Amino acid sequence: MAAAIEFRQVNKWFGKLHVLVDVTLGVAPGEVVVVCGPSGSGKSTLIRCVNALERIQSGEIVVLGDSITSPRMNLTRLRTQVGMVFQSFNLFPHMTALENIMLAPMKVRNAPREDAEKTARALLLRVGIPDKAGNYPANLSGGQQQRVAIARALAMQPKIMLFDEPTSALDPEMINEVLEVMTDLAKSGMTMMVVTHEMGFARRVAHRVIFMDGGQVIEEADPETFFASPKSDRSRQFLSKILSH
Amino acid sequence: MSYQFKWSVLWSGQSGYWLLQGLITTLELSALAWLLAVALGILSGALRTVPFRPLRAAATFYVEFFRNVPLLVWMFFWYFGVPPLLPRGVQDWLFDHGAEFWAGMFALGVYHGARMSEVIRSGIQSIPRTQFEASVAMGLSVWQAYRLVILPIALRLIVPPITNESLNLLKNSSVALTISVAELTFQTRQIETYTARAIEALTAGTLIYLVLCVSIAWVMSSLERRYAIPGLIARVGGAG
Amino acid sequence: MKRGFVVLQVLALLLSPLGPVFAQSQTLDKIKESGVLTIGTRTGSPPFAYINKNNEWVGFSIDLVELLVIPSISKEVGKPIKLTKKESTPPTRIPLLNSNSVDLIAGTMTDTPERRQSVDFSLTFFLTGAQFLVKKGSPIHGINDIAGKRIATQQGSTNAKIIREKVPNAQLREFPDQPAAFQALLQGQVDAYTNDGIQLYGLKAKAPNPTDWEVVGDFFSEEPYGMAMRKGDAKFKQTVDAGLKQGFESGKYFEIYDKWFGPKGELPYPMSPQVKAYLLKQIGK
């Protein structure tokens, strides 16, 4: 089967900083890949390339069969097929939870309001907060906000979901409610790339763990192998730091 | 001698009518110029933040060019500088149909548009960049992201500085008297000419400006409360 | 700005609880004490008061003060007096007087009954009248031809008032500054500019092609220029008038007139016999 996401010899610079170095990588449909690594390793940049929030300087990225680095690529089509959840939730503060979820279907797909609302309510039910439809983001807890953000990304019925440190901004007691939603999503067969430090989640849910440092993919392995016997010094160092907490 | 106030000059003769005419002209001039300024301000303020360099450059040029030249000069520019570019017949028609007013309106609107642009730009830039990313990541175009997300938030944030700028615009409308627009300050001077009662006339003008400014500030703060984002700006507004 | 300055003056007056209490010759006392006569005058009204090419603030009105009024005041207070000039404009000049910022307005101010309610005027030191400056060949030859026409005036002048009363359907365009009004005439924003004849001659001389322009019409108003003083200070007025009277009698006034308006003057404007008679009639001749 063709890969859902493919990086071929990808290089990216921020000015003189080489943030992605010859990255070659594939993600299969339905696969859940956790990307980890120290801060500044390029892991967020990596997944932000998938929906073209970042542009690359060389190499090629193919998403769902389309080269997204070609000048002819359809940005809107790409982004409706790839949902993204951010560290800082990024709900729109002037809209209710429901309106946040309805916005893209109505404005990008021109879905009728009733349909969009029906879908939105179903998604709120799916993420476990059907009663918060009318709440504004400021009146939701962090965990609730992030669950609305996941529902919002799902509203476009994407084939791929990107998570950029989705629990890093949360209070510890709210992390699990978000991880549960992500776990359910993974079980439903969604293709996911998740940047996270939640090693428990990686162990339980991920099919594969990718360890990055200095813009390079240092190590790829199934979670079992990665956590039991990391091959490189850098991944061992990283794991010892992160697991001792 | 000590100055003998004679407030009756304000309602005897034609003074009351002149003040009213002046007030109406000031309001018409300011309201039209305000609409123009807000439209230009939103457009150029937003363009200064978009991810396309030529548009940013054009907006920056507009802002720096227009806000860094005194308003008085712009009044003369629109009144004396622009008409000669038109055919003679058009000029004559304009001069017979309130060219002063329209020149004043453009001068005021374009000048304050450049100033409002900066207010709006800073409002937009105070919104985390990730809001924009979240918008486009779900498939909205840049235009939709600005229209549906960035501007609605930014416009709420900038109500206080926009109020301030609107008051400046109202007060600056008096500069139009230099190109013979018979607005409020012009009319207070007129009363002074006819009655030699400068202090009474200026006091009347001052009070009218004061009432106008306080009313505008009140309307704007009502708007601010009315459109406050729940949980965000209501706290800042105090009354919410 | 000037307008801001006026507002300050207004505030100063409103804030002083009782206003200044003037003794009978308070102005003279003030001048005696400070040794300075402060006048308010124009900066752009040649040849009465203006900044010349050498950046000097000079003019006919200023000369009259320096050569006729100051000697009279010096004599009165018994010591030499220096002259200080401040800029005044039609809207600012009365507030400047009343706030004691200046003691005498000597520029191009017309003596009118309305203004006499607020200030006192000296003897008339110059007589002109309102006329029109138009492009040569204009259909406007006087006040009877201006119905429906666009007429520029200087705001604060009495001309606008007269036109408004006599020809209500003329389209008045009132400018606070003469240069703007004149520019409007040059460019065709207006069909004519009305002001005192003497000022129009001055403008015509400054136009890019003076021969393209002409001053037309009979005086539709008489504009006697006087020096204005705070109201009620009779002693000071007497002293100023005495200086002018002395000038008329000795002929010194006419020498000064000739310096500015004579054939070699800044603006040739020969004095008509009627005007001369009008001026001398004031001193009983």
Side-chain angles (χ1 to χ4, degrees):
Chain A
M1 195 153 58
I5 307 168
E6 232 186 307
F7 287 75
R8 294 175 189 155
Q9 294 284 309
V10 170
N11 281 285
K12 177 173 177 63
W13 284 265
F14 283 130
K16 284 186 177 158
L17 194 66
H18 201 172
V19 286
L20 293 180
V21 183
D22 278 336
V23 173
T24 298
L25 184 73
V27 178
E31 192 180 14
V32 177
V33 173
V34 162
V35 186
C36 62
S39 70
S41 60
K43 55 193 193 298
S44 283
T45 308
L46 181 80
I47 70 164
R48 286 162 61 88
C49 288
V50 176
N51 65 350
L53 280 184
E54 304 289 355
R55 296 310 177 93
I56 61 171
Q57 276 78 45
S58 79
E60 191 181 19
I61 300 174
V62 178
V63 176
L64 300 166
D66 294 327
S67 168
I68 66 163
T69 38
S70 97
R72 284 173 293 107
M73 73 109 173
N74 182 334
L75 195 62
T76 305
R77 190 173 118 91
L78 169 72
R79 285 173 173 168
T80 56
Q81 292 182 331
V82 181
M84 188 165 200
V85 174
F86 298 82
Q87 176 177 354
S88 48
F89 327 138
N90 292 332
L91 293 184
F92 307 134
H94 60 304
M95 299 180 186
T96 63
L98 198 68
E99 287 164 347
N100 263 279
I101 302 170
M102 290 162 61
L103 183 67
M106 286 175 61
K107 297 298 174 183
V108 181
R109 289 245 166 84
N110 295 317
R113 171 170 282 276
E114 306 79 62
D115 294 2
E117 185 172 340
K118 219 172 110 187
T119 313
R121 288 194 185 279
L123 285 166
L124 280 174
L125 187 65
R126 183 168 168 193
V127 299
I129 41 173
D131 53 325
K132 301 294 183 195
N135 283 36
Y136 283 88
N139 299 325
L140 294 171
S141 73
Q144 291 167 338
Q145 287 191 59
Q146 194 60 302
R147 285 190 276 164
V148 173
I150 294 172
R152 182 174 71 177
L154 291 174
M156 294 300 279
Q157 294 163 309
K159 302 202 169 66
I160 296 170
M161 284 285 285
L162 307 172
F163 292 85
D164 189 2
E165 306 207 29
T167 57
S168 301
L170 291 176
D171 292 336
E173 73 272 19
M174 294 172 182
I175 290 177
N176 274 335
E177 61 187 73
V178 172
L179 292 181
E180 276 165 29
V181 172
M182 290 168 61
T183 306
D184 287 347
L185 196 59
K187 283 183 182 152
S188 74
M190 178 67 74
T191 309
M192 292 165 59
M193 283 186 88
V194 183
V195 173
T196 185
H197 293 149
E198 291 298 326
M199 293 300 122
F201 174 82
R203 213 185 287 259
R204 279 183 285 112
V205 182
H207 301 118
R208 190 151 46 111
V209 175
I210 289 171
F211 175 76
M212 290 184 72
D213 194 12
Q216 289 173 297
V217 175
I218 304 291
E219 199 166 332
E220 294 186 58
D222 60 86
E224 212 59 19
T225 321
F226 180 72
F227 289 112
S229 51
K231 279 179 287 187
S232 70
D233 287 347
R234 279 192 271 186
S235 51
R236 269 195 295 278
Q237 227 174 19
F238 173 73
L239 281 176
S240 73
K241 265 186 208 155
I242 207 162
L243 294 177
S244 66
H245 284 298
Chain B
M1 67 159 226
S2 90
Y3 190 89
Q4 299 292 313
F5 288 100
K6 192 176 161 198
W7 297 102
S8 63
V9 298
L10 296 178
W11 46 86
S12 54
Q14 290 179 288
S15 301
Y17 172 75
W18 286 338
L19 282 177
L20 185 66
Q21 285 299 310
L23 172 63
I24 291 170
T25 305
T26 288
L27 286 176
E28 285 174 347
L29 182 66
S30 303
L32 288 171
W34 189 85
L35 289 175
L36 179 63
V38 167
L40 287 173
I42 290 178
L43 181 69
S44 64
L47 287 183
R48 290 197 80 184
T49 66
V50 295
F52 305 114
R53 191 187 297 270
L55 288 178
R56 280 206 306 273
T60 304
F61 174 78
Y62 160 65
V63 168
E64 297 303 341
F65 189 60
F66 280 90
R67 74 172 173 159
N68 288 324
V69 173
L71 177 57
L72 181 63
V73 175
W74 288 123
M75 291 279 170
F76 287 150
F77 171 80
W78 289 99
Y79 186 55
F80 291 123
V82 173
L85 306 175
L86 305 169
R88 187 68 233 183
V90 176
Q91 283 186 50
D92 263 328
W93 187 87
L94 279 176
F95 296 151
D96 272 332
H97 293 83
E100 305 73 26
F101 178 89
W102 295 107
M105 197 282 289
F106 275 107
L108 202 57
V110 175
Y111 174 80
H112 278 279
R115 295 175 52 101
M116 292 219 184
S117 171
E118 283 301 274
V119 172
I120 286 160
R121 176 173 74 111
S122 68
I124 290 172
Q125 289 180 337
S126 74
I127 299 171
R129 187 172 165 70
T130 49
Q131 285 281 341
F132 175 75
E133 288 181 343
S135 313
V136 295
M138 59 199 232
L140 296 180
S141 63
V142 171
W143 159 243
Q144 284 178 318
Y146 270 88
R147 186 168 57 87
L148 299 169
V149 178
I150 304 299
L151 285 175
I153 302 173
L155 291 177
R156 285 168 164 92
L157 294 178
I158 57 170
V159 170
I162 282 287
T163 305
N164 204 22
E165 204 47 52
S166 305
L167 298 182
N168 281 340
L169 185 152
L170 178 82
K171 289 179 280 184
N172 276 348
S173 67
S174 64
V175 180
L177 70 80
T178 55
I179 54 169
S180 80
V181 177
E183 47 66 70
L184 186 54
T185 303
F186 175 96
Q187 296 292 12
T188 61
R189 289 186 178 191
Q190 184 88 328
I191 294 170
E192 190 270 334
T193 304
Y194 277 59
T195 63
R197 290 276 163 185
I199 292 171
E200 287 85 342
L202 282 162
T203 304
T206 306
L207 284 178
I208 293 174
Y209 279 112
L210 188 69
V211 168
L212 285 179
C213 287
V214 170
S215 310
I216 289 171
W218 182 81
V219 167
M220 294 297 269
S221 80
S222 309
L223 275 178
E224 190 181 357
R225 281 194 299 275
R226 166 82 178 69
Y227 288 103
I229 296 174
L232 279 188
I233 294 179
R235 281 199 298 268
V236 182
Chain C
M1 281 203 64
K2 289 167 202 156
R3 189 170 42 260
F5 183 60
V6 177
V7 171
L8 275 183
Q9 299 290 346
V10 171
L11 288 178
L13 251 159
L14 291 178
L15 291 177
S16 70
L18 296 167
V21 180
F22 294 96
Q24 203 219 341
S25 56
Q26 208 235 353
T27 306
L28 283 174
D29 290 349
K30 183 186 159 207
I31 294 169
K32 185 175 185 178
E33 196 178 310
S34 62
V36 172
L37 169 70
T38 308
I39 66 167
T41 189
R42 312 298 304 267
T43 54
S45 296
F48 294 92
Y50 65 106
I51 313 269
N52 71 9
K53 289 185 191 105
N54 305 324
N55 209 28
E56 296 158 330
W57 199 350
V58 296
F60 175 64
S61 302
I62 293 172
D63 271 2
L64 290 181
V65 172
E66 273 188 69
L67 303 174
L68 301 179
V69 174
I70 290 229
S72 171
I73 296 176
S74 289
K75 198 171 128 199
E76 184 66 34
V77 302
K79 66 186 260 195
I81 299 298
K82 281 199 300 191
L83 177 65
T84 300
K85 288 163 284 203
K86 286 190 178 173
E87 183 180 8
S88 68
T89 60
T92 64
R93 56 200 175 193
I94 290 178
L96 282 171
L97 261 189
N98 284 330
S99 64
N100 278 339
S101 296
V102 303
D103 303 314
L104 185 69
I105 297 292
T108 55
M109 188 170 181
T110 303
D111 179 352
T112 67
E114 289 87 354
R115 289 178 183 155
R116 281 181 178 225
Q117 292 180 6
S118 303
V119 294
D120 284 341
F121 281 96
S122 70
L123 297 175
T124 296
F125 67 83
F126 187 85
L127 180 70
T128 183
Q131 292 175 285
F132 298 93
L133 181 60
V134 296
K135 193 160 203 152
K136 206 158 247 172
S138 159
I140 297 172
H141 302 292
I143 193 164
N144 298 325
D145 309 319
I146 63 169
K149 300 286 192 211
R150 303 184 300 264
I151 308 298
T153 67
Q154 192 175 1
Q155 199 189 17
S157 72
T158 38
N159 309 326
K161 182 175 174 180
I162 294 165
I163 289 179
R164 202 171 260 127
E165 284 158 6
K166 289 192 179 162
V167 194
N169 63 345
Q171 300 187 56
L172 275 185
R173 303 280 190 266
E174 296 184 63
F175 292 86
D177 300 304
Q178 180 145 285
F182 185 46
Q183 186 65 29
L185 175 68
L186 291 180
Q187 284 192 216
Q189 268 88 345
V190 295
D191 303 313
Y193 172 45
T194 181
N195 206 330
D196 303 342
I198 178 64
Q199 303 220 24
L200 299 181
Y201 275 100
L203 284 175
K204 172 172 145 65
K206 281 199 303 188
N209 294 305
T211 48
D212 288 355
W213 306 93
E214 56 184 344
V215 177
V216 298
D218 296 331
F219 288 179
F220 67 81
S221 72
E222 251 179 19
E223 304 279 337
Y225 289 7
M227 298 181 188
M229 293 153 273
R230 276 181 288 280
K231 202 166 168 58
D233 197 336
K235 192 80 192 288
F236 182 55
K237 174 173 158 51
Q238 257 174 31
T239 312
V240 172
D241 281 349
L244 290 171
K245 192 175 173 198
Q246 166 68 21
F248 289 130
E249 281 171 346
S250 68
K252 180 93 177 153
Y253 167 89
F254 298 99
E255 281 171 32
I256 299 170
Y257 186 95
D258 202 49
K259 172 183 166 194
W260 294 100
F261 300 105
K264 289 178 189 162
E266 177 73 20
L267 178 66
Y269 190 66
M271 186 182 286
S272 71
Q274 290 88 340
V275 171
K276 187 162 188 174
Y278 180 102
L279 293 174
L280 291 177
K281 201 173 155 216
Q282 297 181 99
I283 56 167
K285 288 193 173 176

